[in-house]
Every structure is written in C-alpha cells, then in structure tokens.
Amino acid sequence: MNKMNKTALIWIMVLGLCLSLVAAIGIRPAATNIIYETSPHYSGTIWVVNNDQRAFTVKVFPDGEMGRYVTLKKDKLVFRAEDDALSVDFEVLLPEGVPPGTSTALIMIEETLDDSSSSVVSSKVILKHKITIEGPYPDKYIKAKLNFNEEGSKIKLISEVENWGKKNLDEVYTVFYVNNKEQQPLEAKTESTALGQKENKLLVTELSKSEFEQGEFEVSAVTHYDDQTVEISKKMLIGKPEVEVTYFDSYFIANKINQYALELLNKWNSKIENVFVDVTVKKEEQKVDQFRTRSVDIEGEMSKRINDYFDAKDKAPGEYSFDMEVNFWNTYKMATQTYHSKLLTEEEFNSVEKDVAKKTALAGKAAAGNSTGESAEEGSSQTIIISIMGGLLLGALVMFIIYRYKHREEYE
C-alpha cells in the first residue's frame, strides 16, 4: 500500500469515527429561549444522552458572547455503560443593561478520546446547547434589513424596517450612501412614513445602473426614526465576477519543454484570489495533453501574467488548440476559451522570432523617423527665425557705426 492510499485510509477512519461519536451522544433540549423582561434570572436543565450505552467522560463549559453570565452546577459528566442520560443544571444571571434584541450564550459538551495505543485514532466531539436571550426594547427601537434589486436600467435600494419599540413612530426614512464606479459619493433617500408598534414596512428608492460597473459596492443605509438613527452596511453585487485569458503564446518548439506566457484580466472591481487555468491540449480535436497553471491573486481591474513551462517533448510539429477554463475562489468556473498555437521545428521557430524582431525594429525605426522628421522641421524653422533676427541685429549695428562715423565731429 503506497503512502497516498495509507493517508486516504486514515482520513476515512477519522471521518467514520467522528460520525459514530456524534451519533453516540446527544443533547436534550437543543436550545433555550430567555426573555429578559420576564426572566432576568433563569434556571434550567439540559440532558446529555448516551445513545450507544458506553462508558465515556465529557467536559461541560459555557461559551459565546453572553457565556460569562451562565453558571453551571457541573463541569464534567462521567458516563457508565448503563447510564442513559445525565443532567446539567445551569443558571443565567443577566445584569442590568442587557443589549436590546437577540444575543446568545452556549453550553459546550466536549468529549476527548485519549488512548496510548498508536493504533487508535483520537478524536474530540463538541456539541452545543444554544441559549437565546431577548433583551429589553426601549420606547423607540428599529430593526432594519438591507436588500437590492436590479430592474432594467435601475437598481432599487430597499430598507426593510420594523418597529420593536414600545411607542409608535411618526417619521421613519432611510438614506443610502454608496460610491459609484468613479468613486464619487452618491446619496439616495426614501420617502418618510409613520410606523406603528410591531409594524413592518419596505422603504424603497433607486439609483441608475449606469452609475456602476460590474463589481462589489459597499452600501451604507442610515435609517432615521424620530430623533434616532440606526446604520447597517451590506455589499451590493452588480453582475458576476469574471476573469478572462487575454494572451497566450502563438509559437512553441516541438519535442522540447517550452516556457509559456499566459495573461489574465480581472474584470471585477476588487481582488480575486486563487485564480488558475485548466488547459486541455488538442490536435485535430483529439485530446493529447492537459495541465493546470499555478494559482495567482489578481487585483481589481488589473492583469497578471503567468510564466510557466509547457512540456512538448512528445509532441510533433503542427497546429494545436488550447482549451482554457479559468477557475477562482474554488467555486467559479468561466466559459472555455480556445487559443490556437503552432509547434515548430527549432529552425522554423528561430526564423519566426527573427521575423517578429525585425518587424518590431522596423516599426520602432518608423516611429523614430517620424519623430526625427518632426524635430528636423521644428529645428529648421527655429534656425530660420534665429538667422533673420541675427541679420536684423547686424544691420542695425552697421547703421549705427556709419551714423557715428558721419557725425564724429559732433561727438568730438
């Protein structure tokens, strides 16, 4: 048995053991709900069930955001094979100032298997009993949710509001804030409405879809109710993430390992991680090879080039197709793109390279020639202007000298 098969067998054993242990113990009930206003001090009992009728030990401890207010009567349970279930008594002593709305605490049940024999796989099983605490609501309190909906050329911004306070509200509205594709701030406000106690309404406004490109946009929604506000944020997704192959080499040397260049363009407006390409090589529609590129991260609306090696040692000269499937985030797979490349003899490849280099050089020389021509014309014009100005100055100097000579007696 090789190393890979041994590893797979060990993981199968671990998975099987974990599944059997989860089935072997259980918790009754699964959850407890506490309303602060009626039960600020709550006492309860949970039962840990021994489904497999075996001997084992579990640790019991509190956890979660409100776990510090949970007191357990026991921190360990020792089961005998004949024990069907054992109880855990607990108290929840909530202080004043419990936050309004829902918060949670957990009672954790943890079993650890520890065997000194190297042939036994150790595992740890954790079960959770969830305690949900409903804190008291003040006179004015809003619960809000944020959603988006594309409709033609518009994007609807929807704020779902519900009055959980003790009083009716006279004026409720939401203002949405988001940056557009040019990173300029946009603002959209819903109409104002009254909201009765326990009443739920949708507040809707819209923006033009042309303000955005495909990508992620962070939207902040500030709901005003009477003299108070609540703010929530959520990412708005326009379109779908897309990564495209924009370049692949056109020529390779047959019967040789070649370095290739492949360029990827991230059309999404934020970073996409773990991008790689599955490549299927075909000749005359018959698959002859396949390979996967290394993975890269690409910043939003940027390109990245992958340089790696293509093994063509067993491939004869000819035309080949390369079917490329871009993968990213371990979930997305783009539609197949096909590039056609030729495998050449080394002599043909060198000839093609020389032709490409020659064309590049000629194009550069032509550009340089145009640039030089323009400079020569500019230089010629400047020379003419300077010559004219020099002639005028020289003429003025000669006239001055002649004038002084004719009137020399006046200056003596």
Side-chain angles (χ1 to χ4, degrees):
M1 184 180 292
N2 59 35
K3 185 176 180 182
M4 183 176 294
N5 289 338
K6 286 182 179 178
T7 303
L9 181 59
I10 290 171
W11 279 110
I12 290 171
M13 291 172 61
V14 170
L15 179 61
L17 181 58
C18 290
L19 290 174
S20 64
L21 287 173
V22 170
I25 60 175
I27 301 177
R28 294 198 308 255
T32 297
N33 296 316
I34 301 173
I35 299 175
Y36 174 82
E37 291 181 315
T38 58
S39 304
H41 294 170
Y42 180 90
S43 297
T45 300
I46 61 172
W47 292 85
V48 181
V49 183
N50 183 5
N51 291 321
D52 272 4
Q53 298 295 297
R54 62 185 179 88
F56 63 96
T57 301
V58 296
K59 292 193 298 182
V60 187
F61 57 93
D63 199 6
E65 59 179 323
M66 303 293 282
R68 61 186 179 275
Y69 303 118
V70 178
T71 302
L72 302 174
K73 302 298 183 181
K74 302 174 183 176
D75 61 4
K76 182 170 71 172
L77 298 176
V78 180
F79 281 86
R80 298 169 301 174
E82 58 269 26
D83 292 330
D84 293 325
L86 296 179
S87 64
V88 178
D89 296 324
F90 66 93
E91 287 185 351
V92 181
L93 305 176
L94 298 172
E96 293 184 5
V98 170
T102 302
S103 52
T104 59
L106 300 170
I107 297 176
M108 311 295 288
I109 310 298
E110 177 182 290
E111 178 187 8
T112 303
L113 303 181
D114 187 12
D115 194 308
S116 58
S117 172
S118 59
S119 62
V120 176
V121 180
S122 296
S123 179
K124 181 182 289 185
V125 174
I126 297 180
L127 299 178
K128 302 175 183 178
H129 176 83
K130 185 176 182 180
I131 302 171
T132 302
I133 301 163
E134 282 290 333
Y137 294 99
D139 290 345
K140 297 179 180 181
Y141 189 83
I142 284 282
K143 283 187 178 182
K145 297 178 183 178
L146 176 56
N147 286 294
F148 316 103
N149 188 21
E150 292 184 43
E151 290 189 3
S153 61
K154 300 292 184 181
I155 297 175
K156 287 196 172 183
L157 309 174
I158 305 166
S159 173
E160 181 180 353
V161 293
E162 187 170 2
N163 182 3
W164 282 72
K166 298 174 182 177
K167 292 184 177 181
N168 295 335
L169 299 171
D170 298 324
E171 185 181 26
V172 180
Y173 63 93
T174 300
V175 183
F176 298 90
Y177 301 92
V178 61
N179 287 347
N180 66 6
K181 59 188 176 185
E182 274 84 35
Q183 293 302 306
Q184 296 173 337
L186 300 177
E187 182 178 318
K189 180 181 176 182
T190 69
E191 293 184 354
S192 180
T193 183
L195 197 63
Q197 191 178 6
K198 299 299 181 184
E199 188 177 7
N200 179 295
K201 285 186 179 180
L202 299 179
L203 307 179
V204 182
T205 187
E206 59 186 28
L207 289 170
S208 173
K209 194 174 178 180
S210 62
E211 293 282 358
F212 306 93
E213 59 191 346
Q214 63 178 11
E216 300 178 4
F217 300 86
E218 190 75 20
V219 180
S220 175
V222 180
T223 298
H224 300 254
Y225 56 104
D226 290 352
D227 56 345
Q228 300 185 46
T229 61
V230 59
E231 180 176 356
I232 56 175
S233 296
K234 187 177 180 179
K235 283 185 178 180
M236 177 174 65
L237 304 183
I238 307 295
K240 292 182 179 180
E242 185 178 352
V243 178
E244 179 183 2
V245 179
T246 56
Y247 175 82
F248 187 67
D249 288 326
S250 299
Y251 301 100
F252 297 102
I253 301 174
N255 302 307
K256 189 175 180 179
I257 295 177
N258 296 259
Q259 187 175 37
Y260 69 80
L262 184 152
E263 192 163 283
L264 296 168
L265 171 64
N266 175 11
K267 294 186 174 182
W268 200 238
N269 71 344
S270 57
K271 184 177 181 180
I272 295 182
E273 299 178 336
N274 192 31
V275 184
F276 61 90
V277 184
D278 285 323
V279 184
T280 301
V281 187
K282 294 179 181 178
K283 186 177 184 183
E284 298 176 353
E285 296 303 317
Q286 297 296 316
K287 177 181 173 181
V288 296
D289 199 359
Q290 65 180 24
F291 62 91
R292 173 175 289 182
T293 70
R294 62 184 177 86
S295 63
V296 293
D297 299 339
I298 311 176
E299 297 295 333
E301 299 178 334
M302 297 293 289
S303 293
K304 178 160 282 191
R305 179 163 288 203
I306 297 176
N307 293 303
D308 213 331
Y309 292 90
F310 165 50
D311 186 356
K313 286 190 297 184
D314 58 348
K315 296 174 180 61
E319 187 166 322
Y320 291 76
S321 63
F322 293 78
D323 294 343
M324 302 187 183
E325 287 185 338
V326 181
N327 302 262
F328 51 92
W329 289 338
N330 297 319
T331 54
Y332 278 82
K333 180 177 288 189
M334 305 304 300
T336 301
Q337 293 178 251
T338 300
Y339 277 78
H340 297 278
S341 301
K342 289 183 178 180
L343 269 63
L344 308 174
T345 64
E346 194 151 359
E347 184 179 347
E348 291 172 331
F349 183 83
N350 291 334
S351 176
V352 168
E353 276 201 326
K354 287 179 182 178
D355 286 345
V356 172
K358 185 177 180 181
K359 288 177 182 177
T360 303
L362 288 173
K365 188 179 289 185
N370 290 337
S371 175
T372 304
E374 290 171 4
S375 298
E377 289 177 8
E378 291 176 4
S380 177
S381 299
Q382 291 176 359
T383 302
I384 292 170
I385 293 170
I386 292 172
S387 299
I388 292 171
M389 292 180 66
L392 292 172
L393 288 172
L394 181 60
L397 180 61
V398 170
M399 293 294 291
F400 178 73
I401 292 172
I402 293 172
Y403 174 83
R404 287 292 301 266
Y405 179 76
K406 288 183 177 181
H407 298 82
R408 61 184 180 278
E409 294 179 356
E410 298 176 13
Y411 291 96
E412 292 175 354

